Amino acid sequence: AEKNLKLEERITMLQQQNEELRARIEQNTVITRQLSEENANLQEYVEKEVEEKKKLSRTNEELLWKLQEGDAVSPVKLPPTSSTSFYRCSSGNSSPAKVTTLRR
């Protein structure tokens, strides 16, 4: 009879543990579903951001192209020589008569 009593107590304790574990499994399942939904939403958001970035990049390239083309057709156009010039004095003196212009 004493052994049966101990076994019944053990059964009751194991049933309680079993119920607690089932509750934890259910809670984890709910959390897993929520995280899966959040992950799907975040992936969708990232895809939209990537598409927006591509669109902005294309727009930027188009605007740069238009700017370059606009410069090529603009009525006030710089000569097609190098954009940078520098001056060198032939003697160490900075007299305007002895300054020569070198183009790169």
Side-chain angles (χ1 to χ4, degrees):
E2 190 177 313
K3 189 174 181 181
N4 278 347
L5 188 61
K6 285 185 179 182
L7 288 173
E8 286 177 8
E9 287 175 0
R10 176 88 173 142
I11 288 172
T12 304
M13 183 187 71
L14 290 174
Q15 286 174 337
Q16 287 174 347
Q17 284 181 347
N18 194 16
E19 287 176 26
E20 289 172 6
L21 289 173
R22 284 184 182 174
R24 287 175 62 185
I25 288 172
E26 188 176 325
Q27 185 179 25
N28 285 341
T29 302
V30 169
I31 291 171
T32 300
R33 277 193 205 115
Q34 289 173 345
L35 290 174
S36 292
E37 287 178 26
E38 185 177 348
N39 186 37
N41 290 338
L42 288 172
Q43 285 179 341
E44 185 178 331
Y45 175 77
V46 166
E47 288 173 11
K48 286 180 181 177
E49 288 292 314
V50 166
E51 286 304 313
E52 183 66 21
K53 184 178 178 182
K54 286 179 184 177
K55 181 180 173 185
L56 289 171
S57 181
R58 286 190 300 267
T59 303
N60 189 33
E61 287 178 20
E62 182 181 329
L63 291 172
L64 285 172
W65 182 82
K66 285 181 179 179
L67 182 63
Q68 289 172 351
E69 286 299 306
D71 285 348
V73 215
S74 101
V76 179
K77 190 175 172 185
L78 294 175
T81 60
S82 173
S83 61
T84 57
S85 299
F86 62 96
Y87 299 96
R88 184 175 74 184
C89 183
S90 54
S91 67
N93 172 336
S94 62
S95 159
K98 294 184 180 182
V99 173
T100 57
T101 302
L102 299 176
R103 296 202 186 268
R104 290 187 181 177

